[in-house]
Amino acid sequence: MAKKKTKFDFDPVISALGGRDNVMSVSASTDLMKITTKTKLTDEQVAALKAIPVWDDVSFKGPDLKLVPNDDIEFDDYGSQLTQALTRNNANIKTKNVVGRVLDFVSQIFIPIIPMFAGSGILRGLLVLSTELHWLSANSSTYHILYAASNAVFYFLPILLAFSAGRAFKVDQISSAVIVAALMEPNIVNLLHHGATTGITHFFTIPVVLQQYSSTVIPAFLAIWLYSYAEKGLKRIITPTLQVIFVPLLALVVVVPSVLIVVGPIGIYLGQGLAAIMAWLVKANSTITGAVIGGLWPVFVIFGLHWSIIPIIWGNLASAGHDFIIPMAATSNFGIAGAAMGVLIRARMAKTRSLASSGLISLLVAGIGEPTIWGFAIPMRRPFIAACLGGASGGAVIGFFHVDGVAAVFGALTTLPGFATPTFIWYIVGISVAFVVSTLLTVIFGFDETKLGVNK
């Protein structure tokens, strides 16, 4: 049933907040409003807010007042109207821009997954260390079982994100997970041509460009964003007694093909364009190429664009026995590790330090960056920027000295043998620069721990 729309009276809210002049900043997403006031609200003011029949929860998140709406209102409409009411005739109030609101929204979706990121990253690192020290054979069944346990959260990340995004978009979470799971279902995977990364098939007569969706992020967000409109639209035209059957049915029929038809080409063509740019940059200036790859590789992975660069790496290894992109990309991991180290040094809250230490271990031992990227770097923003700048600095060094790699491996301390070429010393210099620059930038410019939802 569609949510009822109401003509809202904001005077009680504004009064409980101490008036417009007491409000410093305000931001609203689909399921949360955060307001920062000049003076801390009294118990009476908080009680007055709780008494307004709009909020399920009224609490403090660090210096911010966190307001969670109930399900009886169209909060997208309410939140935007309340923001306008609070900021009207008050130029001193800061409102977050679109990028800030999107990052806050994405962080809310990732927060429930963060603990499993940390645990999986450490387990992956321990497995790599165990095989390097010959405590465990990579061919043993024990290894494969433990590897599956450590890899599941990364491989099935789109499904986990879809489930979490379903809550943020206020749609059915199980349906959200199933829609994205369809993108990774074996019948879709088998349509990829001869195990290649991409392929073309058809939905009736409409071309469908396929790509690998495991471990990606953006396709899951786009799928659930599209599903949120589909579900709300279907519930408006289907009677409640039939919704339990026909809403999931029609959503699957409409959303899954739509995502494959639209998202697939976007990812493929952006990736091909990126590969062409990389080829041009290498010919033009290897130092700039190293800075671009080292600095932006985490962004490529987030959008799934790295799949178009990996075939270039494999081709270089097959034809020449070495490749220049691998060491450039490796510096991004050490840039991220530097951000984790910087957070570990400067953090005051125990939970933040725990996330930073687990992220640092998983990076240095296994080359797994997701626990750091999504666990705290992106939510706190400045550490992510520092990581990119550190990776760019190290990548520039790698590019300038034409460093090569001889194996398709992640950047980590345990994978150093993969860079055992005559340029090995410059690889060490490059990753050290990435780590140190990122660490220093994170420590110097700091970060806001309250963005992680921790308070102690």
Side-chain angles (χ1 to χ4, degrees), residues 171-172 174-176 178-180 182 223-224 226-235 238 243-259:
V171 294
D172 185 72
I174 298 297
S175 298
S176 299
V178 171
I179 286 171
V180 173
I224 306 311
L226 178 60
Y227 170 61
S228 69
Y229 285 98
E231 183 186 274
K232 292 172 184 176
L234 289 170
K235 285 185 175 181
I238 298 175
Q243 286 180 8
V244 69
I245 296 175
F246 286 100
V247 170
L249 169 62
L250 294 176
L252 287 170
V253 172
V254 172
V255 177
V256 173
S258 297
V259 172

Side-chain angles (χ1 to χ4, degrees), residues 176-248:
S176 299
V178 171
I179 286 171
V180 173
L183 306 179
M184 303 167 59
E185 205 273 337
N187 282 288
I188 298 293
V189 176
N190 291 338
L191 288 173
L192 298 177
H193 288 175
H194 307 294
T197 305
T198 63
I200 297 178
T201 187
H202 292 82
F203 180 71
F204 292 106
T205 58
I206 303 173
V208 178
V209 182
L210 297 173
Q211 68 168 337
Q212 177 65 260
Y213 289 99
S214 63
S215 302
T216 59
V217 172
I218 302 303
F221 285 142
L222 293 178
I224 306 311
W225 171 75
L226 178 60
Y227 170 61
S228 69
Y229 285 98
E231 183 186 274
K232 292 172 184 176
L234 289 170
K235 285 185 175 181
R236 288 190 182 100
I237 61 177
I238 298 175
T239 60
T241 55
L242 298 177
Q243 286 180 8
V244 69
I245 296 175
F246 286 100
V247 170

Side-chain angles (χ1 to χ4, degrees), residues 19-23 38 86-94:
R20 291 186 181 90
D21 292 339
N22 194 42
V23 178
K38 294 179 183 178
L86 289 171
T87 57
R88 190 178 300 124
N89 301 323
N90 191 345
N92 295 323
I93 295 180
K94 299 179 180 179

Side-chain angles (χ1 to χ4, degrees), residues 113-405:
I113 310 173
I114 289 174
M116 191 53 70
F117 263 150
S120 297
I122 292 177
L123 178 56
R124 179 85 70 87
L126 292 174
L127 281 175
V128 171
L129 188 62
S130 296
T131 55
E132 290 289 333
L133 296 176
H134 303 290
W135 294 343
L136 191 64
S137 170
N139 296 320
S140 67
S141 57
T142 300
Y143 174 87
H144 287 295
I145 291 171
L146 291 176
Y147 183 85
S150 69
N151 190 53
V153 70
F154 304 112
Y155 186 87
F156 295 108
L157 177 61
I159 300 175
L160 299 176
L161 290 178
F163 186 82
S164 185
R167 179 179 180 275
F169 280 110
K170 294 188 177 293
V171 294
D172 185 72
Q173 291 180 270
I174 298 297
S175 298
S176 299
V178 171
I179 286 171
V180 173
L183 306 179
M184 303 167 59
E185 205 273 337
N187 282 288
I188 298 293
V189 176
N190 291 338
L191 288 173
L192 298 177
H193 288 175
H194 307 294
T197 305
T198 63
I200 297 178
T201 187
H202 292 82
F203 180 71
F204 292 106
T205 58
I206 303 173
V208 178
V209 182
L210 297 173
Q211 68 168 337
Q212 177 65 260
Y213 289 99
S214 63
S215 302
T216 59
V217 172
I218 302 303
F221 285 142
L222 293 178
I224 306 311
W225 171 75
L226 178 60
Y227 170 61
S228 69
Y229 285 98
E231 183 186 274
K232 292 172 184 176
L234 289 170
K235 285 185 175 181
R236 288 190 182 100
I237 61 177
I238 298 175
T239 60
T241 55
L242 298 177
Q243 286 180 8
V244 69
I245 296 175
F246 286 100
V247 170
L249 169 62
L250 294 176
L252 287 170
V253 172
V254 172
V255 177
V256 173
S258 297
V259 172
L260 288 170
I261 291 168
V262 176
V263 175
I266 291 175
I268 295 301
Y269 297 138
L270 281 177
Q272 289 176 348
L274 179 62
I277 292 173
M278 291 298 102
W280 177 80
L281 281 174
V282 168
K283 293 180 180 180
N285 191 306
S286 60
T287 303
I288 294 177
T289 304
V292 170
I293 294 178
L296 296 182
W297 190 262
V299 180
F300 299 160
V301 173
I302 290 171
F303 284 85
L305 301 180
H306 64 301
W307 289 112
S308 293
I309 303 177
I310 288 176
I312 301 176
I313 296 174
W314 290 340
N316 290 339
L317 290 174
S319 61
H322 56 86
D323 173 74
F324 60 90
I325 298 178
I326 297 172
M328 293 175 180
T331 61
S332 72
N333 268 5
F334 286 92
I336 300 168
M341 176 60 78
V343 171
L344 185 60
I345 292 172
R346 183 159 175 169
R348 296 181 179 180
M349 301 178 183
K351 182 177 179 180
T352 309
R353 291 195 296 271
S354 176
L355 289 172
S357 59
S358 62
L360 183 62
I361 292 171
S362 64
L363 274 158
L364 295 181
V365 177
I368 303 300
E370 286 88 346
T372 297
I373 293 174
W374 294 112
F376 55 88
I378 285 183
M380 294 194 297
R381 300 179 197 174
R382 288 180 184 175
F384 184 71
I385 295 173
C388 291
L389 292 175
S393 302
V397 173
I398 295 291
F400 182 82
F401 290 101
H402 303 283
V403 176
D404 282 336

